[in-house]
Amino acid sequence: QLTVILEFLRNLGRSGLRVSQFGLGTWVTFGSQIADEVAEDILTLAYQSGINFFDTAELYAIPPKAETQGRTEIYIGNWFKARGKRDKVILASKVAGRDRGGMTWLRKDGSSPQVTKPQMIEALEGSLRRLQTDCIDLYQIHWPDRPVPWGSNPVAFKASTYQGSENSMLEALETLQDFVKAGKIRFIGLSNESSWGTMQFLKLAEKHGLPRVETVQNAYNLLNRTYETGLAEISMREQVGL
């Protein structure tokens, strides 16, 4: 019955990629709650059940800790090597946004994570190495570089939260374009992003001929309906997949 349910495929934005309507998320369990061999069993069962979309991030496992950072990508990479299914899976990963919790261990030089070209290059190379692949199908900015509320809690925007500098969205898109041209990623997406931020990325991409955002990975569940107030219209009108 599960296999029948998962036979239905959905478009991933305007990318042309077709993904199962259920994806395999790995943010808490892989690398934190379960061991490598259990992760391999879960990945195999998911694939055999019709799931062709695996999502991870350089930061995982969650909660973020220096000793588990990147372990989730390592587990997935080990599965690819053992099973030889890399070309059968749509693989998504993420680069960490502006640090909000003292994650100085994420970058080699101890810098606070930000969405800058040097840090994006370091992040992508690390993910490719751990995932044991030459290319990531969907590469996402994990959360806004801007000092604004974000994440799974439906927090209202307040002017008092808008303080400090922010890095250029244009620089981020230009860097992502370099990755696409180098064949290291295929398409780009956002995560934990606002309606305004999503539209800014779309406008900049159109104006400067840069890669178009295909997806936004935001919280949407029975307790968090914030997606419906603004992003739902963007998803429908701009074909930015949720």
Side-chain angles (χ1 to χ4, degrees), residues 96-185:
R98 178 178 294 266
D99 186 16
R100 289 163 168 81
M103 297 187 297
T104 54
W105 38 262
L106 190 61
R107 299 289 173 245
K108 292 178 180 178
D109 64 358
S111 298
S112 178
Q114 296 184 42
V115 183
T116 61
K117 183 173 183 177
Q119 290 208 21
M120 292 174 74
I121 292 172
E122 179 183 339
L124 177 62
E125 293 300 329
S127 289
L128 291 172
R129 182 177 63 255
R130 289 186 293 269
L131 289 163
Q132 302 188 52
T133 186
D134 296 325
C135 181
I136 293 171
D137 299 299
L138 178 68
Y139 198 54
Q140 306 151 100
I141 296 176
H142 206 154
W143 59 84
D145 193 74
R146 312 181 307 282
V148 295
W150 64 275
S152 59
N153 295 319
V155 181
F157 178 83
K158 297 179 181 179
S160 61
T161 66
Y162 192 87
Q163 52 189 323
S165 62
E166 60 189 58
N167 292 309
S168 168
M169 290 180 175
L170 181 58
E171 179 187 349
L173 283 174
E174 289 172 341
T175 304
L176 291 167
Q177 182 183 52
D178 291 342
F179 295 164
V180 172
K181 287 183 176 179
K184 295 182 177 182
I185 67 173

Side-chain angles (χ1 to χ4, degrees), residues 39-60:
E40 182 175 347
D41 291 341
I42 292 172
L43 288 161
T44 299
L45 178 60
Y47 177 78
Q48 292 175 344
S49 300
I51 292 177
N52 75 339
F53 185 39
F54 294 174
D55 178 75
T56 184
E58 65 162 338
L59 187 64
Y60 294 169

